Amino acid sequence: MPLLLTDHTVHTARRPWVFWLLIGIILLLGVIMVIAPIYSVWTQPYPDLNFSTFFGSLGLIMMLLLTWPYIEHTASIQTGTESFTVRKYGQVPFEYPYTALTGHTVRPNFDRQRSWTELVVYLPDNWFTLRSIDFDNFDELVALFSAVSPAVPYRQVLSPGEQRLARIFLIVALLVGLVPVWFGFAAYQPVDKQPARLVQLSGTLSSIRKTTNRSSSYTGFTLRLAEYPDFTFYARRKEFTDSLRTLPYALNYPPRLTLTIRAYDFRTKISRQQPLTFGDRYDDYRSIPVAGIDSSPFFHVRTTRTIYNDSHTKPYLRLSLFCLYAIVIWSFWLAVDKQTIRR
């Protein structure tokens, strides 16, 4: 019979800043996943599904990864005279008599930010963990459960409910991973191996913006023409000579430009002489690559690479990556099956 903590007191785990940070990240990811598609629909005729399916799937998988560790954490425990009640985050509370305990383990543990001591308590069909960083009276709780259960070697286990939840997480993660693969095949457009036919498009420059990468290194320019406000024309530095860098300084007023673009983009997006395919609509519809820029007599630049029509996606590469991803999911599934509680 336990001698300590038998006053039916509820002991609630502390919530450190790391907990609230993760909650904030999860909520932020959820908000972004909702707002981003709505914003893309409002700001252009066709949403960029290539971007949203990939990063939306990645965001949802990240939410699952961030959420799962807290599923196993104990949120509160109520100790009584004959029994105790444990509530884990996101799970239904469960009550057991002290006589049902099959063992306990006290061991050190750590992560990147901190270290702690944890008490792992085993039951015939369940388990729970108490951490020294979560409970002020951790030593008293250790004394209580050590007095009513034998010490046993540590083993990694999941309750039947947690195993079902883990399988649901894995199935969802697998289905979410299929979404970019579906888009890859739906948007794929076979193209000739011959260089694309090019045409010239003239207009008045309404805006020019230098693009950079994560390290703030110059990567090119995006251009907007007043006559074609629905489209953004982009020139990548890696496809042009260094003279592209001087474009903003070579413009005269009013800045008239002649852009060289693919004839296919002109027929499908500008003149609408040819119907748009699924990939044309939903793979960054507003962006059109530039193969040359003229601002006579001040500026002339041509791409250093051969221009081909865009296939939009590489579906078999996506399928190959998904197969590797599915193998990882399957390995987690096998690990979940092995973490069964045994007496």
Coordinates of all heavy atoms in Angstrom, one line a residue, residues 69-125:
P69 N 5.9 13.4 -30.4 CA 6.6 13.3 -29.1 C 5.7 13.7 -27.9 O 5.9 13.1 -26.8 CB 7.8 14.2 -29.3 CG 8.0 14.3 -30.7 CD 6.6 14.3 -31.3
Y70 N 4.8 14.6 -28.1 CA 4.0 15.0 -26.9 C 2.8 14.1 -26.7 O 2.2 14.2 -25.6 CB 3.6 16.5 -27.1 CG 4.6 17.5 -26.8 CD1 5.5 17.9 -27.7 CD2 4.8 17.9 -25.4 CE1 6.6 18.8 -27.4 CE2 5.8 18.8 -25.1 CZ 6.7 19.2 -26.1 OH 7.7 20.1 -25.7
I71 N 2.5 13.3 -27.6 CA 1.5 12.3 -27.4 C 1.9 11.3 -26.2 O 1.0 10.9 -25.5 CB 1.2 11.5 -28.7 CG1 0.7 12.4 -29.8 CG2 0.2 10.3 -28.4 CD1 -0.6 13.0 -29.5
E72 N 3.2 11.1 -26.1 CA 3.6 10.1 -25.1 C 3.9 10.8 -23.7 O 4.1 10.1 -22.7 CB 4.9 9.5 -25.6 CG 4.7 8.7 -26.9 CD 6.0 8.1 -27.3 OE1 7.1 8.4 -26.8 OE2 6.0 7.2 -28.2
H73 N 3.9 12.2 -23.7 CA 4.2 12.9 -22.4 C 3.0 12.9 -21.5 O 1.8 13.0 -21.9 CB 4.6 14.3 -22.7 CG 6.0 14.4 -23.3 ND1 6.7 15.6 -23.5 CD2 6.9 13.4 -23.7 CE1 7.9 15.3 -24.0 NE2 8.0 14.0 -24.2
T74 N 3.3 12.8 -20.2 CA 2.2 12.8 -19.2 C 1.9 14.3 -18.9 O 2.8 15.1 -18.5 CB 2.7 12.1 -17.9 OG1 3.0 10.7 -18.2 CG2 1.6 12.2 -16.9
A75 N 0.6 14.6 -19.0 CA 0.2 16.0 -18.7 C -0.2 16.2 -17.3 O 0.1 17.2 -16.7 CB -1.0 16.4 -19.6
S76 N -0.7 15.1 -16.6 CA -1.1 15.2 -15.2 C -1.3 13.8 -14.7 O -1.5 12.9 -15.4 CB -2.4 16.1 -15.0 OG -3.5 15.4 -15.6
I77 N -1.1 13.7 -13.3 CA -1.3 12.5 -12.7 C -2.0 12.8 -11.3 O -1.6 13.7 -10.6 CB 0.0 11.7 -12.5 CG1 -0.3 10.4 -11.7 CG2 1.0 12.5 -11.7 CD1 0.9 9.4 -11.7
Q78 N -3.0 12.0 -11.0 CA -3.7 12.1 -9.7 C -3.5 10.8 -8.9 O -3.8 9.8 -9.4 CB -5.2 12.3 -9.9 CG -6.0 12.5 -8.6 CD -7.5 12.7 -8.8 OE1 -7.9 12.7 -10.0 NE2 -8.2 13.0 -7.8
T79 N -2.9 11.0 -7.8 CA -2.6 9.8 -6.9 C -3.6 9.7 -5.8 O -4.0 10.7 -5.1 CB -1.2 10.0 -6.3 OG1 -1.1 11.3 -5.6 CG2 -0.1 9.9 -7.3
G80 N -4.1 8.5 -5.6 CA -5.1 8.3 -4.6 C -4.7 7.2 -3.6 O -3.5 6.7 -3.7
T81 N -5.6 6.7 -2.8 CA -5.2 5.7 -1.8 C -5.1 4.3 -2.4 O -4.1 3.6 -2.1 CB -6.3 5.6 -0.7 OG1 -6.5 6.9 -0.1 CG2 -5.9 4.7 0.4
E82 N -5.9 4.0 -3.3 CA -5.9 2.6 -3.9 C -5.6 2.7 -5.4 O -5.2 1.6 -5.9 CB -7.3 2.0 -3.7 CG -7.7 1.8 -2.3 CD -6.9 0.8 -1.5 OE1 -6.2 0.0 -2.2 OE2 -6.8 0.9 -0.3
S83 N -5.7 3.8 -6.0 CA -5.5 3.9 -7.5 C -4.9 5.2 -7.8 O -4.8 6.2 -7.0 CB -6.8 3.6 -8.2 OG -7.8 4.6 -7.9
F84 N -4.6 5.4 -9.1 CA -4.1 6.6 -9.7 C -4.7 6.8 -11.0 O -5.1 5.9 -11.7 CB -2.6 6.6 -9.7 CG -2.0 5.5 -10.6 CD1 -1.7 5.8 -11.9 CD2 -1.8 4.3 -10.1 CE1 -1.2 4.8 -12.7 CE2 -1.3 3.3 -10.9 CZ -1.0 3.5 -12.2
T85 N -4.7 8.1 -11.5 CA -5.3 8.4 -12.8 C -4.2 9.2 -13.6 O -3.7 10.2 -13.0 CB -6.5 9.3 -12.7 OG1 -7.5 8.5 -11.9 CG2 -7.1 9.6 -14.1
V86 N -3.9 8.9 -14.8 CA -2.9 9.5 -15.6 C -3.6 10.1 -16.9 O -4.4 9.4 -17.5 CB -1.8 8.5 -16.0 CG1 -0.8 9.2 -17.0 CG2 -1.1 8.0 -14.8
R87 N -3.2 11.3 -17.2 CA -3.7 11.9 -18.5 C -2.5 12.3 -19.3 O -1.6 13.0 -18.9 CB -4.5 13.1 -18.2 CG -5.1 13.7 -19.5 CD -6.0 14.9 -19.2 NE -5.3 16.0 -18.6 CZ -4.7 16.9 -19.3 NH1 -4.6 16.9 -20.6 NH2 -4.1 17.9 -18.7
K88 N -2.4 11.7 -20.5 CA -1.4 12.1 -21.5 C -1.9 13.1 -22.5 O -3.1 13.2 -22.7 CB -0.8 10.9 -22.3 CG -0.1 9.8 -21.4 CD 0.4 8.7 -22.3 CE 1.1 7.6 -21.5 NZ 1.6 6.5 -22.4
Y89 N -1.0 13.9 -23.1 CA -1.5 15.0 -24.0 C -2.2 14.3 -25.2 O -1.7 13.4 -25.8 CB -0.3 15.7 -24.5 CG 0.4 16.6 -23.5 CD1 1.6 16.3 -23.0 CD2 -0.3 17.8 -23.1 CE1 2.2 17.2 -22.1 CE2 0.3 18.6 -22.1 CZ 1.6 18.3 -21.6 OH 2.2 19.1 -20.7
G90 N -3.4 14.8 -25.4 CA -4.2 14.3 -26.6 C -4.8 12.9 -26.4 O -5.3 12.4 -27.4
Q91 N -4.8 12.4 -25.2 CA -5.3 11.0 -25.0 C -6.3 11.1 -23.8 O -6.4 12.0 -23.0 CB -4.2 10.0 -24.6 CG -3.2 9.9 -25.7 CD -2.3 8.7 -25.5 OE1 -2.7 7.6 -25.1 NE2 -1.0 8.9 -25.6
V92 N -7.2 10.1 -23.8 CA -8.2 9.9 -22.8 C -7.5 9.5 -21.5 O -6.7 8.6 -21.5 CB -9.3 8.9 -23.2 CG1 -10.3 8.7 -22.1 CG2 -9.9 9.4 -24.5
P93 N -7.9 10.1 -20.3 CA -7.3 9.7 -19.0 C -7.6 8.2 -18.7 O -8.6 7.7 -19.1 CB -7.9 10.7 -18.0 CG -8.4 11.8 -18.8 CD -8.8 11.3 -20.2
F94 N -6.7 7.6 -18.1 CA -6.9 6.2 -17.7 C -6.6 6.0 -16.2 O -5.7 6.7 -15.6 CB -6.0 5.2 -18.5 CG -4.6 5.5 -18.5 CD1 -3.7 5.0 -17.6 CD2 -4.0 6.3 -19.6 CE1 -2.4 5.2 -17.6 CE2 -2.7 6.5 -19.6 CZ -1.8 6.0 -18.6
E95 N -7.3 5.2 -15.5 CA -7.2 4.9 -14.1 C -6.8 3.4 -13.8 O -7.4 2.6 -14.4 CB -8.5 5.3 -13.3 CG -8.4 5.1 -11.8 CD -9.6 5.5 -11.1 OE1 -10.6 5.8 -11.8 OE2 -9.6 5.5 -9.8
Y96 N -5.9 3.2 -12.9 CA -5.5 1.8 -12.6 C -5.3 1.8 -11.1 O -4.8 2.7 -10.4 CB -4.2 1.5 -13.3 CG -4.3 1.1 -14.7 CD1 -4.2 2.1 -15.7 CD2 -4.5 -0.2 -15.1 CE1 -4.3 1.8 -17.1 CE2 -4.6 -0.5 -16.5 CZ -4.5 0.5 -17.4 OH -4.6 0.1 -18.8
P97 N -5.5 0.6 -10.5 CA -5.1 0.4 -9.1 C -3.6 0.2 -9.0 O -3.0 -0.3 -10.0 CB -5.9 -0.9 -8.7 CG -6.0 -1.6 -10.0 CD -6.2 -0.6 -11.1
Y98 N -3.0 0.5 -7.9 CA -1.6 0.3 -7.7 C -1.2 -1.2 -7.9 O 0.0 -1.5 -8.3 CB -1.1 0.8 -6.4 CG -1.2 2.3 -6.2 CD1 -2.2 2.9 -5.5 CD2 -0.3 3.1 -6.8 CE1 -2.4 4.2 -5.3 CE2 -0.4 4.5 -6.7 CZ -1.4 5.1 -5.9 OH -1.5 6.4 -5.8
T99 N -2.1 -2.1 -7.6 CA -1.8 -3.5 -7.7 C -1.6 -3.9 -9.2 O -1.1 -5.0 -9.4 CB -2.9 -4.3 -7.1 OG1 -4.2 -4.0 -7.7 CG2 -3.0 -4.1 -5.6
A100 N -2.0 -3.1 -10.1 CA -1.9 -3.5 -11.6 C -0.5 -3.2 -12.1 O -0.2 -3.6 -13.2 CB -2.9 -2.7 -12.4
L101 N 0.3 -2.5 -11.4 CA 1.7 -2.1 -11.9 C 2.5 -3.4 -12.1 O 2.5 -4.3 -11.2 CB 2.4 -1.2 -10.9 CG 1.7 0.2 -10.7 CD1 2.4 1.0 -9.6 CD2 1.7 1.0 -12.0
T102 N 3.2 -3.4 -13.2 CA 4.1 -4.6 -13.5 C 5.6 -4.2 -13.4 O 6.4 -5.1 -13.4 CB 3.8 -5.1 -14.9 OG1 4.1 -4.0 -15.8 CG2 2.4 -5.5 -15.1
G103 N 5.9 -2.9 -13.3 CA 7.3 -2.6 -13.1 C 7.6 -1.1 -13.3 O 6.7 -0.4 -13.8
H104 N 8.8 -0.7 -13.0 CA 9.2 0.7 -13.3 C 10.7 0.8 -13.6 O 11.4 -0.1 -13.2 CB 8.8 1.6 -12.1 CG 9.8 1.4 -10.9 ND1 9.6 0.4 -10.0 CD2 10.9 2.0 -10.6 CE1 10.6 0.4 -9.1 NE2 11.4 1.4 -9.4
T105 N 11.0 1.8 -14.2 CA 12.5 2.1 -14.6 C 12.7 3.6 -14.3 O 12.0 4.5 -14.7 CB 12.7 1.8 -16.0 OG1 12.5 0.4 -16.3 CG2 14.2 2.1 -16.4
V106 N 13.8 3.9 -13.6 CA 14.3 5.2 -13.4 C 15.6 5.4 -14.2 O 16.6 4.6 -14.0 CB 14.6 5.6 -12.0 CG1 15.1 7.0 -11.8 CG2 13.3 5.4 -11.2
R107 N 15.7 6.3 -15.1 CA 16.8 6.4 -16.0 C 17.1 7.9 -16.4 O 16.1 8.7 -16.4 CB 16.7 5.6 -17.3 CG 15.6 6.1 -18.2 CD 15.5 5.3 -19.5 NE 14.8 6.0 -20.5 CZ 15.1 6.1 -21.8 NH1 16.2 5.5 -22.2 NH2 14.3 6.7 -22.6
P108 N 18.3 8.3 -16.7 CA 18.6 9.6 -17.2 C 18.2 9.7 -18.7 O 18.3 8.7 -19.4 CB 20.1 9.8 -17.0 CG 20.6 8.4 -17.1 CD 19.5 7.5 -16.5
N109 N 17.9 10.9 -19.1 CA 17.6 11.1 -20.5 C 17.9 12.6 -20.9 O 18.1 13.4 -20.0 CB 16.1 10.9 -20.8 CG 15.9 10.5 -22.3 OD1 16.7 10.7 -23.1 ND2 14.7 9.9 -22.6
F110 N 17.9 12.9 -22.2 CA 18.3 14.3 -22.6 C 17.9 14.5 -24.0 O 17.5 13.6 -24.7 CB 19.9 14.4 -22.5 CG 20.6 13.6 -23.4 CD1 21.0 14.0 -24.7 CD2 20.9 12.2 -23.1 CE1 21.7 13.2 -25.6 CE2 21.6 11.4 -24.0 CZ 22.0 11.9 -25.2
D111 N 17.9 15.8 -24.3 CA 17.7 16.3 -25.7 C 18.7 17.4 -26.0 O 19.7 17.6 -25.2 CB 16.3 16.7 -26.0 CG 15.8 17.8 -25.1 OD1 16.7 18.6 -24.6 OD2 14.6 18.0 -25.0
R112 N 18.5 18.1 -27.0 CA 19.5 19.1 -27.4 C 19.6 20.3 -26.4 O 20.6 21.0 -26.3 CB 19.3 19.7 -28.8 CG 19.5 18.7 -29.9 CD 19.2 19.3 -31.3 NE 19.5 18.3 -32.3 CZ 19.3 18.6 -33.6 NH1 18.9 19.8 -34.0 NH2 19.5 17.7 -34.5
Q113 N 18.4 20.6 -25.7 CA 18.4 21.7 -24.9 C 18.7 21.4 -23.4 O 19.2 22.3 -22.7 CB 17.0 22.4 -24.9 CG 16.7 23.1 -26.2 CD 16.3 22.2 -27.4 OE1 15.7 21.1 -27.1 NE2 16.5 22.6 -28.6
R114 N 18.4 20.2 -22.9 CA 18.4 19.9 -21.5 C 18.5 18.5 -21.2 O 18.4 17.6 -22.1 CB 17.2 20.5 -20.8 CG 15.9 20.0 -21.5 CD 14.7 20.8 -21.3 NE 13.6 20.4 -22.1 CZ 12.3 20.6 -21.9 NH1 12.0 21.3 -20.8 NH2 11.4 20.2 -22.7
S115 N 18.7 18.1 -19.9 CA 18.8 16.7 -19.5 C 17.8 16.6 -18.3 O 17.5 17.6 -17.6 CB 20.2 16.3 -19.1 OG 20.7 17.2 -18.1
W116 N 17.4 15.4 -18.0 CA 16.5 15.1 -16.9 C 16.5 13.7 -16.5 O 17.2 12.8 -17.2 CB 15.1 15.5 -17.3 CG 14.5 14.7 -18.5 CD1 13.9 13.4 -18.4 CD2 14.6 15.0 -19.9 NE1 13.6 13.0 -19.6 CE2 14.0 13.9 -20.6 CE3 15.2 16.0 -20.6 CZ2 13.9 13.9 -22.0 CZ3 15.1 16.0 -22.0 CH2 14.5 14.9 -22.7
T117 N 15.9 13.4 -15.4 CA 15.7 12.0 -15.0 C 14.2 11.7 -15.2 O 13.3 12.5 -15.0 CB 16.0 11.8 -13.5 OG1 17.4 12.2 -13.3 CG2 15.8 10.4 -13.1
E118 N 13.9 10.5 -15.7 CA 12.6 10.1 -16.0 C 12.2 8.8 -15.3 O 13.1 7.9 -15.2 CB 12.3 10.0 -17.5 CG 13.0 9.0 -18.2 CD 12.7 9.0 -19.7 OE1 12.2 10.1 -20.2 OE2 12.9 8.0 -20.4
L119 N 11.0 8.7 -14.9 CA 10.4 7.5 -14.3 C 9.4 6.9 -15.3 O 8.5 7.5 -15.7 CB 9.7 7.8 -13.0 CG 8.8 6.7 -12.4 CD1 9.7 5.5 -11.9 CD2 7.9 7.2 -11.3
V120 N 9.7 5.7 -15.8 CA 8.9 5.0 -16.7 C 8.1 3.9 -16.0 O 8.8 3.0 -15.3 CB 9.7 4.4 -17.9 CG1 8.7 3.8 -18.9 CG2 10.6 5.4 -18.5
V121 N 6.8 3.9 -16.0 CA 6.0 3.0 -15.2 C 5.2 2.1 -16.2 O 4.6 2.6 -17.2 CB 5.0 3.7 -14.3 CG1 4.2 2.7 -13.5 CG2 5.8 4.6 -13.3
Y122 N 5.3 0.8 -16.0 CA 4.6 -0.2 -16.9 C 3.4 -0.8 -16.3 O 3.4 -1.1 -15.1 CB 5.6 -1.3 -17.3 CG 6.9 -0.8 -17.9 CD1 8.1 -0.6 -17.2 CD2 6.9 -0.4 -19.3 CE1 9.2 -0.1 -17.8 CE2 8.1 0.1 -19.9 CZ 9.2 0.2 -19.1 OH 10.4 0.7 -19.7
L123 N 2.4 -1.0 -17.1 CA 1.1 -1.6 -16.8 C 0.9 -2.8 -17.7 O 1.6 -2.9 -18.8 CB 0.0 -0.6 -16.8 CG 0.1 0.5 -15.8 CD1 -0.6 1.8 -16.3 CD2 -0.5 0.0 -14.4
P124 N -0.1 -3.7 -17.5 CA -0.3 -4.8 -18.4 C -0.6 -4.3 -19.8 O -0.2 -5.0 -20.8 CB -1.5 -5.5 -17.8 CG -1.5 -5.2 -16.3 CD -0.9 -3.8 -16.3
D125 N -1.3 -3.3 -20.0 CA -1.7 -2.8 -21.3 C -1.5 -1.3 -21.5 O -2.1 -0.7 -22.4 CB -3.2 -3.2 -21.6 CG -4.1 -2.5 -20.6 OD1 -3.7 -2.0 -19.6 OD2 -5.3 -2.6 -20.9

